[in-house]
Amino acid sequence: MFEGKTAVITGSTSGIGLAYARKLAEHKANIVINGFGDSEDIEKERVSIERDFGVKCLYSNADMTKPDEIEGMIELAKNQLNSVDILINNAGIQHVDPVEDFPADKWDAILAINLSSAFHTIRHSIPLMKQAGWGRIINTASAHALVASPFKAAYVSAKHGIAGLTKTVALEVARDNITVNAICPGYVWTPLVEQQIPDTMKARGLTEEQVKNDILLSAQPTKEFVTVDQVASFALFLCSDAASSMTGAILSMDGGWTAA
Ligand code: NAD
């Protein structure tokens, strides 16, 4: 499906980003993975993508808070894998605190990683997509791009911001065969979420089911986690020809959260 095309996925050393990378590689895109983590684990994952799917996979350690490193990651894709055809902005972090106690450095980091990095990847990739005459940009937003929760001022602001960026860029490139969309997951079952469960059980004296249903999934009517494979499959669809008329869309996959 994507033979000869290159996908750059930020924050793809774990969770949703890694699922995007493996899904697009399965459909023959060459891949640039990015993110932090244990260097041996990252190398194992990189090699496994190449071996399992017969594509090229490069790793960029670009820090999404650093515009020059972001530019370097796009240059890597251009120089070693010809272009950037698919760009998925996915890197993200969270911090939870009341706004009056919210550390300013956490605010800056969340805005930089969850929002500004997408501005930089997009501005460097669009000329390449225009040159190729085709492109797909997907931003991993969140239910928090549409609704707020208390104590997440930076995250909610960044995710609302990414919805605005998605719509604006979609309008600018609408005649260039480039689509720009945002996926808004609810709670997704990632290692990050899984690891919170034992501590929360202990801290609150709850069972695993109680932690999942009453704490984590309190806002999600289905009481089921979204899976990384569901999010990645949605991205695959957005990259297909069938989705060529979908652009500027802020698309929920949240078990009904934002219907309430
Ligand atoms: P995760 O922690 O498993 O993945 C985050 C990725 O971002 C990792 O690869 C990490 O190394 C990378 N990253 C963090 N800081 C970085 C930096 N400065 N530079 C480069 N990479 C950096 O989390 P996840 O749950 O897979 O989240 C991925 C995206 O999905 C995020 O944007 C998150 O906001 C969004 N999201 C997650 C959920 C959920 O429930 N898990 C729900 C809605 C939206």
Side-chain angles (χ1 to χ4, degrees):
M1 190 171 176
F2 303 123
E3 204 114 18
K5 288 191 160 56
T6 297
V8 175
I9 302 138
T10 72
S12 46
T13 50
S14 80
I16 299 169
L18 184 56
Y20 287 137
R22 293 189 65 86
K23 183 67 75 183
L24 294 174
E26 188 188 332
H27 290 81
K28 297 295 172 201
N30 294 320
I31 304 289
V32 176
I33 54 170
N34 156 260
F36 300 150
D38 178 84
S39 56
E40 273 181 31
D41 290 347
I42 294 172
E43 179 58 12
K44 260 193 226 152
E45 205 49 69
R46 189 194 69 73
V47 169
S48 131
I49 289 173
E50 290 199 329
R51 193 194 46 228
D52 294 351
F53 305 115
V55 299
K56 289 186 194 146
C57 180
L58 305 179
Y59 167 61
S60 162
N61 66 357
D63 181 340
M64 292 299 113
T65 64
K66 303 211 163 88
D68 55 331
E69 294 189 16
I70 296 172
E71 185 172 9
M73 177 183 68
I74 302 299
E75 283 289 309
L76 176 81
K78 180 181 146 198
N79 295 338
Q80 298 204 26
L81 298 174
N82 299 325
S83 194
V84 177
D85 304 287
I86 297 169
L87 168 67
I88 306 189
N89 291 302
N90 176 75
I93 59 165
Q94 174 66 285
H95 182 84
V96 181
D97 246 329
V99 70
E100 67 270 32
D101 299 330
F102 211 94
D105 62 334
K106 292 284 182 201
W107 170 275
D108 289 343
I110 290 174
L111 269 286
I113 297 167
N114 298 21
L115 177 58
S116 300
S117 73
F119 160 68
H120 295 297
T121 56
I122 287 172
R123 74 191 174 91
H124 294 305
S125 298
I126 283 207
L128 304 175
M129 291 177 176
K130 282 186 174 169
Q131 206 178 335
W134 189 91
R136 292 284 187 269
I137 299 173
I138 297 168
N139 298 319
T140 309
S142 162
H144 283 121
L146 299 164
V147 294
S149 298
F151 314 126
K152 297 184 175 175
Y155 189 86
V156 171
S157 301
K159 294 298 186 182
H160 276 65
I162 202 114
L165 180 66
T166 302
K167 293 183 201 175
T168 306
V169 179
L171 296 180
E172 291 183 21
V173 298
R175 302 295 299 272
D176 297 304
N177 210 14
I178 301 169
T179 67
V180 190
N181 293 290
I183 300 178
C184 299
Y187 251 110
V188 186
W189 187 253
T190 63
L192 203 81
V193 174
E194 196 175 354
Q195 281 157 17
Q196 292 171 29
I197 289 180
D199 282 350
T200 314
M201 284 168 65
K202 217 159 114 191
R204 297 185 181 236
L206 298 175
T207 65
E208 184 172 337
E209 281 314 297
Q210 285 171 323
V211 171
K212 285 184 182 171
N213 291 334
D214 303 342
I215 308 290
L216 296 178
L217 295 177
S218 59
Q220 206 147 296
T222 54
K223 301 296 174 200
E224 298 284 347
F225 287 94
V226 179
T227 68
V228 294
D229 192 63
Q230 288 169 340
V231 181
S233 298
F234 194 14
L236 178 69
F237 172 70
L238 291 174
C239 292
S240 72
D241 289 341
S244 61
S245 291
M246 292 180 73
T247 196
I250 311 302
L251 302 158
S252 293
M253 184 180 262
D254 63 6
W257 178 341
T258 52

